[in-house]
Amino acid sequence: LELRGVTKTYGTRIKTEVLHGIDLAVPRGDFLAITGQSGSGKTTLLNIMGLLDRPTNGTLAVNSVDTAGMDDEAITALRGRTLGFVFQFHHLLPALTVIENVMMPLMADKGRETPGMRDAAAALLKRVGLGERLNYKPDEISGGQRQRAAIARALAMKPAVILADEPTGNLDSVSSGEVFALMRELNKSDGTAFCVVTHAADIAKQCDRIVEIVDGRLV
């Protein structure tokens, strides 16, 4: 990901500029922490980096592709194939099994279940330590296991970058450490870049880089 001069303004009559001239690059294999107080602009920045929102000014390139002129359909396709998401709350669908949840990005991309898709999802779940929980529902596994399943789902499309918004914020200290260790392991083994928004100083200091947002500016 590469952001150049990114700003974000909300409102029409009364305008509020939330981000001010953000320059930020996330190269392959990076493990970046974004920190900052509540209301500093972290979530707005993550939404723009994740192609969930568009900047008011500036440019965002994903895998060297400038996204400025892309329509919503092209943005959705690019997001689905190059970016993965992990949130504080896992957002697993309660009616589906763990393996069905992990298959969702693959099915969204292909429009249906295809041969090998279930095996690919099972292999991912095995990698994150859930090989024995494939057919469990989300409410039948622990919070740490649900977050592991969410990480497996984020990896389903082999993304270049995973954007994680407070990924350990809803976990106890033991589960938090295990989930963070898993993300670091995947980062090193696969070269997947991770961009982690966190309030936790102990999590941030274990990342390769830390950038802080203060009043919408990177420092």
Side-chain angles (χ1 to χ4, degrees), residues 185-196:
E185 178 190 328
L186 294 166
N187 164 251
K188 290 175 180 176
S189 63
D190 295 7
T192 304
F194 279 77
C195 184
V196 181

Side-chain angles (χ1 to χ4, degrees), residues 173-190:
S173 58
V174 173
S175 296
S176 173
E178 291 174 348
V179 166
F180 184 82
L182 172 62
M183 292 193 299
R184 289 258 44 173
E185 178 190 328
L186 294 166
N187 164 251
K188 290 175 180 176
S189 63
D190 295 7

Side-chain angles (χ1 to χ4, degrees), residues 23-38:
D23 294 325
L24 179 64
V26 184
R28 179 172 176 80
D30 199 10
F31 205 104
L32 169 71
I34 297 178
T35 66
Q37 306 237 348
S38 295

Side-chain angles (χ1 to χ4, degrees), residues 2-142:
E2 187 170 12
L3 296 87
R4 289 285 175 260
V6 165
T7 70
K8 184 62 181 179
T9 301
Y10 291 104
T12 50
R13 292 180 60 195
I14 300 176
K15 296 185 178 182
T16 303
E17 190 168 330
V18 179
L19 297 178
H20 311 277
I22 300 291
D23 294 325
L24 179 64
V26 184
R28 179 172 176 80
D30 199 10
F31 205 104
L32 169 71
I34 297 178
T35 66
Q37 306 237 348
S38 295
S40 60
K42 299 189 306 298
T43 298
T44 300
L45 176 60
L46 202 70
N47 286 342
I48 288 174
M49 293 171 72
L51 302 177
L52 299 169
D53 199 0
R54 294 180 185 257
T56 303
N57 294 295
T59 61
L60 168 63
V62 179
N63 279 353
S64 301
V65 177
D66 187 352
T67 60
M70 302 177 93
D71 61 22
D72 289 345
E73 185 176 354
I75 286 284
T76 298
L78 181 64
R79 180 175 60 240
R81 290 170 184 163
T82 60
L83 302 174
F85 297 89
V86 180
F87 300 100
Q88 179 174 352
F89 299 98
H90 51 79
H91 296 302
L92 299 176
L93 298 175
L96 301 182
T97 63
V98 169
I99 191 169
E100 289 168 343
N101 269 283
V102 174
M103 289 168 61
M104 287 301 293
L106 299 166
M107 292 186 68
D109 184 58
K110 299 297 184 184
R112 58 186 174 85
E113 183 174 346
T114 57
M117 190 178 287
R118 191 169 293 265
D119 289 343
L124 280 171
L125 285 164
K126 186 175 180 180
R127 284 191 72 189
V128 302
L130 293 178
E132 305 301 317
R133 297 290 188 272
L134 305 185
N135 296 309
Y136 284 57
K137 296 289 182 65
D139 63 359
E140 296 174 327
I141 59 177
S142 71

Side-chain angles (χ1 to χ4, degrees), residues 140-177:
E140 296 174 327
I141 59 177
S142 71
Q145 289 173 329
R146 287 193 288 267
Q147 202 64 317
R148 285 170 174 268
I151 292 171
R153 180 182 57 190
L155 290 166
M157 292 293 294
K158 298 182 174 65
V161 183
I162 287 184
L163 302 172
D165 192 0
E166 299 285 358
T168 62
N170 203 36
L171 303 175
D172 60 55
S173 58
V174 173
S175 296
S176 173

